[in-house]
């Protein structure tokens, strides 16, 4: 038999999903801090709009870019929530989740041999998409508190660099850019004639009064930025697979072509749900959700510090990425494997997010207080069993 | 600004969608023979299952391969309806429509520089996907009645050939392979150590008692064939975007990785609809639909012959692809453009389907009898205005 795609053969199954599979086998008392989804599901007011569309048999092809009413709401959202005053419906496109939005960015921006830069650790797809599109992903290790190393990013730019990819707040670290950091990234993009891909799916989840900054709201950035977002995290709708993009019209036109020939658009009825969702995002009571996540965040930091992990307070999203105490002499892969086997607690090893983070674990704390408490107790037991505490 | 993806910049917006846009502008009395979707929408028994899943808040991530219950039904379907006795749930994966199923085949089978072969004319995405994956699409012109030129396909095979792509019944021609033709294609695949991608989305639409043949049911073909299908055509559910694949487990595992990093799976609630749909496909009354399509097909052939088009009786699907009379001195692009402007009737020019078919039009006759009649009357007027009749 002839050989299959090398790029795909070489790519690994996600460590998150693998962990999830292991956990499934380990019985009902397993605790997952693994999967990156909120602990709530999509609200009835959104689901009802999908149901209405189904009852009205809106089940034939939608336009490849998404239905016009949805694209209008998306444009309105970017203008009003993200200060991107330039966005018109022509600057938007609807995608099969944030994942396809990302794929479209890689597909449309790059030619084989190009380079991209990101601050590592970062979301797993960022790396694999680089392989799939035949481009080089240049990882610049983040600083100790997971803030981006701006100087390092600057030094990584070559004539082949096509774009910088940012994700603030970040999966897996929970770090969020300061205004100064965003200013510096934007300045690099402008100075070196680059594009900027800004993955903003966690934009609603900030702590301590920090607010979201969209780089596409900066002067001179409207034609250089691809802004990605999705219903998934804001609305607890990871399984509805609806994402969206703002970018220059030229980029959108080319994304539309790619969508036509690769997925032929997004589930039609769900687009009616997205309209209602985005129109009435206030009904989600985000401040309440954040208050709860904040409590969980504080709890995690306290418990992790008690157990001698090395950890900073995350600024956003619902992840925390503690570093293992070097005295333990274990790396993230070993720790994660042993922990799931001995204590049935799943945390993703940091190696799942890049080349410089196998000294850490990612914990998704969007779960019940009971599970958090029990999970951390088991981690403590795990450490005590080894006389690490 | 740095250059975007050459492959995508070079690809054109679908002529079908372009035509559709033109038609939208031309007012309410326009008639479209353009879009490839049935004239019925997804049935309530299927929609109700999606609604139930939404009410039960099944709106978080589904497994990247699709939910296990759906994959069981898909395996059962391939075994029972397509004689593919080897198919187990591990040999199946759920996709974002038939389009993503196709994309996955290209993604997983090929490395840049590979070649593939198809009988031209063929569905537009087949060509563009070749560009996107950096492979060469070798078009072998079909014979006059749109049957595949087996000798031509054989001669087109080189050491770089990775797969042959077939689509029987065919969009755009309505041709369907005879048993002898399928035997011959399978023999070529086996003899030359190739893969076969079989796009079977029109499998339910055959006339004159012909029945569908799945090449993956042949001896020796289970590891060499990627069989694609979708809800779209059988269930009038083009807008639900649910497709599925049967292939070797190795291929499925690699497709799963690609899906994880590019779209992260398919809309979760719609998968419950797919279960009900596939389980009770008998409720679709396909024989009745075919009877109706048969009538429309006969009508089209009669009218087209009266108007001196060159046309064969299609064997399946709901398309007919008449050739223009050479005496008219017009090619398909000119004809299609003038027809939509003068008579507000949209037929896709044959050039939309490959390099050898700009002497033809594609007519999708899955529309009401009234529209068919009126549309053909307008075509007749169009020809009379030019003294072609």
């Amino acid at each position: 038999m002839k050989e299959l795609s090398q790029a795909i053969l070489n790519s690994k199954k996600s460590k998150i999903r693998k962990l999830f599979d292991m956990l499934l086998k380990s019985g009902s008392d397993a605790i997952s801090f693994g999967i990156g989804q909120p602990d709530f599901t999509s609200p009835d007011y959104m689901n009802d709009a999908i149901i209405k569309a189904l009852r009205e048999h809106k089940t034939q092809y939608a336009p490849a870019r998404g239905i016009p009413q949805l694209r209008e709401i998306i444009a309105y959202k970017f203008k009003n929530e993200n200060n991107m005053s330039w966005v018109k419906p022509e600057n938007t496109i609807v995608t099969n989740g944030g994942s396809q939005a990302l794929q479209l960015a890689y597909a449309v921006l790059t030619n084989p041999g190009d380079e991209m830069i990101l601050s590592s650790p970062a979301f797993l797809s960022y790396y694999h998409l680089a392989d799939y599109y035949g481009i080089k992903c240049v990882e610049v290790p983040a600083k100790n508190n997971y803030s981006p190393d701006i100087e390092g990013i600057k030094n990584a730019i070559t004539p082949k660099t096509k774009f910088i990819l940012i994700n603030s707040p970040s999966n897996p670290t929970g770090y969020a850019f300061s205004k100064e950091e965003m200013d510096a990234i934007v300045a690099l993009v402008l100075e070196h004639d680059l594009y900027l891909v800004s993955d903003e799916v966690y934009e609603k989840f900030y702590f301590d009064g920090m607010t979201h900054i969209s780089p596409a709201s900066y002067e001179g950035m409207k034609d250089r930025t691809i802004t990605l977002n999705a219903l998934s995290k804001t609305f607890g709708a990871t399984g509805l697979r609806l994402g969206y993009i703002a970018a220059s019209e030229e980029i959108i036109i080319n994304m539309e072509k790619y969508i036509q020939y690769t997925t032929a658009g997004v589930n039609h009825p769900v687009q009616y749900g997205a309209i209602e969702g985005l129109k009435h995002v206030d009904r989600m009571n985000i401040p309440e959700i954040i208050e709860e996540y904040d409590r969980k965040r504080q709890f995690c930091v306290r418990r992790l510090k008690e157990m001698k992990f090395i950890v900073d307070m995350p600024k956003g999203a619902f992840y925390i990425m503690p570093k293992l105490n070097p005295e333990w002499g274990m790396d993230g892969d070993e720790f994660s494997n042993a922990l799931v086997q001995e204590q049935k607690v799943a945390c993703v090893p940091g190696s799942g997010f890049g080349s410089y983070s196998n000294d850490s674990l990612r914990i998704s704390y969007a779960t019940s207080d009971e599970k958090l408490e029990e999970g951390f107790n088991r981690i403590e037991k795990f450490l005590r069993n080894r006389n690490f505490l």
Side-chain angles (χ1 to χ4, degrees), chain A:
Chain A
M1 303 287 285
K2 294 191 179 183
E3 185 185 53
L4 301 179
S5 159
Q6 287 175 353
I8 302 180
L9 285 172
N10 290 342
S11 71
K12 289 185 193 112
K13 197 172 159 178
S14 161
K15 291 199 178 180
I16 303 171
R17 299 279 183 160
K18 242 160 114 180
L19 202 69
F20 196 63
D21 293 347
M22 263 175 86
L23 207 65
L24 280 178
K25 283 180 207 135
S26 71
S28 60
D29 61 335
I31 290 179
S32 173
F33 295 156
I35 289 278
Q37 67 189 351
D39 55 339
F40 51 91
T41 60
S42 59
D44 280 330
Y45 84 91
M46 199 161 92
N47 297 344
D48 287 345
I50 306 173
I51 290 169
K52 183 164 177 282
L54 283 162
R55 293 236 183 274
E56 292 170 359
H57 285 264
K58 287 175 177 156
T59 59
Q60 292 198 312
Y61 283 125
R65 279 189 188 195
I67 58 176
Q69 310 92 297
L70 174 55
R71 292 172 61 223
E72 259 173 51
I73 295 286
I74 290 170
Y76 180 87
K77 181 248 178 272
F78 279 121
K79 270 194 283 198
N80 281 270
E81 296 181 14
N82 302 97
N83 284 318
M84 291 159 58
S85 57
W86 54 272
V87 180
K88 297 192 175 63
E90 304 89 88
N91 299 111
T92 68
I93 194 162
V94 179
T95 66
N96 193 75
S99 296
Q100 191 186 31
L102 259 176
Q103 183 191 17
L104 287 169
Y106 280 72
V108 166
L109 288 183
T110 69
N111 288 296
D114 283 351
E115 298 178 4
M116 58 164 289
I117 301 172
L118 51 71
S119 177
S120 177
F123 182 50
L124 192 49
S125 294
Y126 301 166
Y127 302 105
H128 288 295
L129 285 168
D131 292 339
Y132 295 167
Y133 287 92
I135 67 171
K136 184 174 164 191
C137 176
V138 180
E139 287 179 81
V140 176
K143 295 186 193 167
N144 266 335
N145 67 346
Y146 297 123
S147 64
D149 175 2
I150 302 287
E151 200 57 28
I153 291 174
K154 185 180 170 180
N155 293 334
I157 296 171
T158 78
K160 287 187 178 172
T161 307
K162 191 60 92 48
F163 67 92
I164 297 173
L165 173 47
I166 60 173
N167 172 220
S168 172
S170 155
N171 172 10
T173 68
Y175 188 79
F177 283 23
S178 66
K179 171 83 168 57
E180 290 67 35
E181 285 162 344
M182 192 63 87
D183 289 352
I185 290 284
V186 164
L188 285 182
V189 167
L190 290 171
E191 189 186 336
H192 295 273
D193 186 23
L194 304 177
Y195 291 94
L196 182 61
V197 177
S198 181
D199 178 349
E200 307 187 4
V201 296
Y202 297 100
E203 64 163 346
K204 297 295 181 202
F205 302 107
Y206 278 92
F207 303 113
D208 308 324
M210 249 182 111
T211 52
H212 185 67
I213 311 168
S214 290
S217 67
Y218 281 64
E219 181 80 31
M221 287 298 285
K222 83 184 180 69
D223 292 334
R224 295 191 178 277
T225 313
I226 296 181
T227 307
L228 314 177
N229 216 321
L231 298 189
S232 299
K233 314 296 175 178
T234 305
F235 297 93
T238 49
L240 295 185
R241 311 307 309 129
L242 193 135
Y244 53 95
I245 291 174
S248 73
E249 208 181 338
E250 190 194 2
I251 287 175
I252 296 295
I253 286 168
N254 283 289
M255 287 180 166
E256 182 189 15
K257 290 192 279 183
Y258 196 80
I259 282 190
Q260 268 174 14
Y261 304 125
T262 60
T263 53
V266 170
N267 184 288
H268 194 164
V270 83
Q271 298 191 38
Y272 291 91
I275 292 173
E276 287 309 301
L278 293 171
K279 211 189 261 181
H280 305 293
V281 63
D282 50 297
R283 289 213 212 167
M284 292 304 297
N285 291 322
I286 305 275
E288 259 174 58
I289 296 170
I290 288 177
E291 215 181 290
E292 206 175 310
Y293 284 175
D294 189 15
R295 235 184 351 90
K296 293 176 199 289
R297 170 183 75 133
Q298 309 273 1
F299 172 81
C300 291
V301 170
R302 180 172 63 74
R303 290 293 281 131
L304 288 165
K305 283 194 168 160
E306 279 171 12
M307 292 189 274
K308 299 188 188 166
F309 284 87
I310 296 150
V311 67
D312 279 283
M313 191 64 82
K315 296 175 187 298
F318 39 76
Y319 305 105
I320 187 163
M321 201 172 188
K323 291 186 172 120
L324 305 176
N325 193 314
E327 288 175 13
W328 300 339
M330 289 180 95
D331 69 21
D333 286 323
E334 291 171 82
F335 196 102
S336 163
N337 270 326
L339 183 66
V340 78
Q341 274 166 27
E342 293 172 28
Q343 299 290 342
K344 300 184 184 175
V345 175
C347 306
V348 188
S351 64
F353 304 96
S355 311
Y356 302 101
S357 41
N358 201 13
D359 57 349
S360 63
L361 301 173
R362 186 193 74 171
I363 291 170
S364 171
Y365 55 78
T367 187
S368 71
D369 289 346
E370 295 68 39
K371 284 198 177 150
L372 267 184
E373 207 152 323
E374 171 65 14
F376 277 109
N377 288 344
R378 292 192 198 173
I379 294 174
E380 183 165 347
K381 208 180 294 172
F382 177 86
L383 293 171
R384 291 203 187 280
N385 285 347
R386 287 178 161 67
N387 294 319
F388 290 165
L389 287 182

